[in-house]
Amino acid sequence: MKSSWLRPLVKDQLSLYVFVSVLLVVGVIFGTLLVHALTLEQQEDLAGDIHHFVQLLDAGMGPDQAQAFWDRGWLHTKWVMLIWLLGISVIGMPLVLALDFLKGVLIGFTVGILIQGHGWNGVLFSLFSVAPPNLIILPALLIASVSSVSFSIHLVKHRLLLRQGQLRHPFISHVSITLVMLAVIWVAAWLEAYVSPHLMGWASGFLN
C-alpha cells in the first residue's frame, strides 16, 4: 500500500510526464521551424560550419575526447542542477518548464539546419549524430524536471496552503532522483565524447 504522501505525488507525476513530454516535442517542432526565420546568409554560414566540422571528422581531427567528455558532462550537470534548484525554490517552477522547452528548441534547431541544407540526408545524419546521446539526455531531463515540478507542487499544496504534510520523504525522493539522473547524463557525456564522433564520421558520407 502506498503511503499517504506518495499517492498524490504519483498522481501528479503521471500527468506531468505527459505535459513535459508534449512541451519537449513542441520545442523540437518550434526549433525546426525557427530555421526558416534565418536569413539565407545565416543559413549558409551555419551549413558551412557543419560542413567544416564534417571535414574534420573525415580527416580524423575531431575534438579531444577527454576534454569533450568533461565539457559535456559539466554542461549537462549544470542543466540538471539548475532544474533541481528551481524546483526547491517553488517560484522557479515555471522556469523548469521553460528549460525543457528550450532544450527541445535547441535540438529541433540543430536538426532543422541539417534538414534545410541536406534534405533527407540531413535526417539520416541526425539519426547518428543528434539522436544517440539525446536518447539518454532527454529522458534524464524529463525525469529530473517532473521530479522538480512535482516537489514544487507538493510544497505549495502541503506546506504553503494546507500548512501540513511531510516534507522529508518527498525531498529525499527528489534528491535521490536528481542524483541518479546526474549519473545518467555522465553516461550520455561519455557517449557524446567517445562514441558519437565515430558515428558522425561514419555517417558524414550522407552530407558529402
Side-chain angles (χ1 to χ4, degrees):
M1 180 180 295
K2 296 182 177 66
S3 59
S4 58
W5 68 267
L6 185 59
R7 281 196 298 269
L9 284 179
V10 172
K11 182 179 179 180
D12 288 339
Q13 287 181 355
L14 290 176
S15 57
L16 283 174
Y17 273 111
V18 175
F19 179 75
V20 176
S21 297
V22 171
L23 193 63
L24 281 168
V25 172
V26 172
V28 171
I29 295 173
F30 181 81
T32 304
L33 297 177
L34 192 62
V35 174
H36 299 288
L38 298 176
T39 64
L40 180 60
E41 183 180 357
Q42 290 172 325
Q43 293 180 16
E44 290 177 347
D45 288 342
L46 289 171
D49 291 338
I50 293 174
H51 182 68
H52 178 66
F53 179 69
V54 170
Q55 286 182 322
L56 291 177
L57 289 176
D58 285 338
M61 300 171 60
D64 179 76
Q65 292 179 320
Q67 186 62 45
F69 169 70
W70 289 107
D71 289 343
R72 301 305 297 175
W74 283 117
L75 175 64
H76 299 323
T77 296
K78 292 174 184 177
W79 197 286
V80 172
M81 290 306 299
L82 180 58
I83 289 174
W84 182 80
L85 288 172
L86 291 173
I88 63 176
S89 70
V90 179
I91 59 175
M93 180 173 59
L95 294 179
V96 174
L97 301 177
L99 285 175
D100 292 327
F101 179 78
L102 176 60
K103 185 64 176 178
V105 171
L106 292 175
I107 294 174
F109 185 80
T110 302
V111 174
I113 287 294
L114 291 169
I115 295 175
Q116 182 75 12
H118 302 279
W120 283 106
N121 288 333
V123 175
L124 293 175
F125 182 78
S126 298
L127 292 176
F128 292 96
S129 59
V130 179
N134 280 293
L135 288 176
I136 300 176
I137 295 170
L138 286 182
L141 292 180
L142 173 65
I143 294 171
S145 298
V146 169
S147 176
S148 186
V149 173
S150 181
F151 181 73
S152 292
I153 292 174
H154 181 82
L155 282 177
V156 172
K157 282 185 178 180
H158 299 282
R159 304 297 291 185
L160 300 180
L161 298 180
L162 300 178
R163 301 285 183 177
Q164 63 181 3
Q166 296 186 20
L167 181 61
R168 177 171 173 267
H169 291 299
F171 181 74
I172 291 176
S173 175
H174 181 39
V175 171
S176 300
I177 290 173
T178 301
L179 291 175
V180 172
M181 292 307 104
L182 285 172
V184 170
I185 61 169
W186 278 94
V187 173
W190 178 87
L191 181 64
E192 284 183 294
Y194 292 97
V195 178
S196 290
H198 296 290
L199 291 175
M200 287 188 286
W202 177 83
S204 62
F206 293 123
L207 302 185
N208 293 327

